[in-house]
Every structure is written in C-alpha cells, then in structure tokens.
C-alpha cells in the first residue's frame, strides 16, 4: 500500500446489517444502568418521605404536648401537696376547736348547775328575809316630824286608837326607824316608818285590821299599814296584782 499505511477494508453488507441489528437491540433493550427510574417509584419515594416528615412532625408535637403535660402534672402535684398541708392544718385547727367546744360545753353545763343552785339559794335567802321581817309593819302617811313626843311613845298610843284594837299586854316594839335619808322639804311625801313589833300575834292583828278597815284617818292624815316584805317579794306581788 503506498505511504506504508494499511487501508481498512470496507465492511460488507452482512457485517453492516449485524451492527445495525445490535444497535437496534440495545435501543430496544437498554441495560439497567442506562434505564431511568420508573415514574411511580419516584412518586412513592417522595410520598414516603413526605409521610415520614409528617409523622416526625406529629411525634415532635406529641412530645411537646407531653412535656407540657409533665409540667402541668408537676404543678398539680405541688398544688396537691400544698392542699394536703393546708387540709392537715385545718384538721389540726378543727381538732383544737372541737376540744375547746367540748371544754366550753362542760363549763356551760357546770354553769347551768350553778345557776340552778344560785336560784335555789336565792329563793331560800328571800324566804329567810321575809321570815325575818314577819314581825315588821310598814307605816305610810305619818308626818316627817312628830313634835312633842318620841316615835316609840307616839306609835304606842296612836296605833291602838287608829285600828280600834285593845292590846293585852300593851303594844311593844323592838325597833322603829324611817326608810331613806331625812327630807328637809316639808311639802315632799314623808318617809315610811318600819316598826318591828315584839310579838308576832300583835303584828298579825294590825295587818288584819289594815286589810279589813282599809286606810285609817287621823285628823287630816291618811295612814296605811302594810306588811314589810323583801324587795323581790314586793315586786312579784305588784306584778301579779297589776296583770
């Protein structure tokens, strides 16, 4: 061959047909490396990735909610503990108040017994006072100043005349006194006179005559004779009388 170069032989028709057939076969049947991934496979991968992201987001949200619930539970536990302490304190106070109420009830019961005892003693004291005054006669209406004679002599002569009673033995007094301070105003009502008669029968005669004959007259004076009871007995009698 000229120039020392080897010239390639032109392919014959069978060889060209063979190469064309292989190229056509490769185009119809490409290899796995040359093939693009199927469209549905890519979509599945994208969907799966989106689903995983959503799941991760949901898990993260749930975790945040759980953390919030843990904080709320911790706060609720602390409040519950505080409430328990408060309830324990209230129970202690109630227990103390219960004890105090029990003590007060016991004292009140004892006071009721004492009140009843005091009422009984007061009743006995009033009765004893009335008994000690059973010989007393209260005289109302005698002038504040009686001139010329002493009170004893004046009453020993005046009372039998007023009541028209003859005393045998003669009327005698253990004591005679007026009630209250001396009054210097002549126009004011004269003070009552209390006479303690020596003999109870003579005091009873005077009081019976006073009940039967009513107020006595001595000149211009109106004289009243009444029994000298205690203040409590007098108030009770007046209450019953004016009801």
């Amino acid at each position: 061959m000229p120039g020392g170069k080897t010239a390639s032989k032109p392919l014959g028709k069978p060889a060209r047909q063979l190469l064309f057939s292989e190229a056509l076969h490769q185009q119809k049947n490409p290899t796995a490396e040359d093939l693009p991934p199927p469209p549905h496979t890519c979509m599945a991968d994208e969907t799966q990735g989106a689903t995983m992201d959503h799941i991760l987001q949901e898990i993260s949200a749930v975790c945040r909610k759980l953390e919030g619930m843990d904080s709320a539970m911790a706060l609720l536990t602390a409040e519950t503990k505080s409430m328990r302490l408060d309830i324990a304190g209230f129970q202690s106070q109630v227990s103390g108040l219960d004890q105090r109420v029990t003590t007060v009830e016991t004292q009140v019961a004892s006071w009721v017994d004492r009140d009843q005892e005091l009422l009984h003693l007061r009743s006995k004291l009033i009765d004893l006072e009335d008994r000690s005054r059973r010989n007393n006669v209260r005289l109302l209406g005698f002038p504040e100043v009686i001139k010329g004679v002493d009170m004893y002599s004046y009453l020993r002569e005046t009372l039998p005349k007023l009541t028209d009673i003859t005393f045998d033995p003669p009327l005698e007094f253990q004591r005679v006194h007026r009630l209250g301070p001396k009054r210097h105003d002549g126009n004011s009502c004269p003070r009552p006179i209390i006479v303690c008669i020596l003999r109870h029968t003579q005091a009873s005669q005077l009081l019976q005559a006073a009940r039967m004959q009513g107020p006595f007259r001595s000149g211009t004076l109106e004289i009243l004779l009444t029994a000298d009871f205690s203040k409590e007995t007098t108030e009770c009698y007046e209450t019953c009388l004016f009801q």
Side-chain angles (χ1 to χ4, degrees), residues 146-211:
I146 299 175
K147 298 179 180 180
V149 293
D150 61 282
M151 184 74 68
Y152 284 88
S153 301
Y154 176 76
L155 293 177
R156 285 166 80 180
E157 294 179 1
T158 304
L159 288 178
K161 295 178 180 178
L162 284 176
T163 58
D164 196 17
I165 299 174
T166 301
F167 293 102
D168 187 19
L171 189 63
E172 296 183 26
F173 307 124
Q174 287 183 328
R175 59 183 178 274
V176 177
H177 68 277
R178 286 186 182 270
L179 293 178
K182 187 175 181 180
R183 297 174 183 174
H184 300 284
D185 185 4
N187 297 325
S188 60
C189 182
R191 293 173 295 166
I193 300 173
I194 303 295
V195 294
C196 179
I197 300 174
L198 180 62
R199 298 174 182 84
H200 178 66
T201 54
Q202 293 178 345
S204 298
Q205 286 178 312
L206 286 174
L207 293 175
Q208 184 176 4
R211 288 192 294 270

Side-chain angles (χ1 to χ4, degrees), residues 1-13:
M1 203 177 223
K5 293 183 182 179
T6 306
S8 58
K9 296 180 179 181
L11 295 176
K13 185 177 181 180

Side-chain angles (χ1 to χ4, degrees), residues 3 17 22 24 29 45 54 58 64 73 75 85 91 102 115 118 124 138 140 156-157 185 188 197 199 201 218 238:
Q17 291 179 352
E22 290 179 359
L24 183 61
N29 300 310
D45 292 340
H54 181 70
E58 293 291 334
R64 288 194 297 270
M73 288 296 295
L75 180 60
L85 293 175
Q91 288 178 345
T102 302
D115 288 342
L118 287 175
K124 292 182 66 175
R138 186 179 298 227
L140 304 174
R156 285 166 80 180
E157 294 179 1
D185 185 4
S188 60
I197 300 174
R199 298 174 182 84
T201 54
S218 177
E238 291 177 351

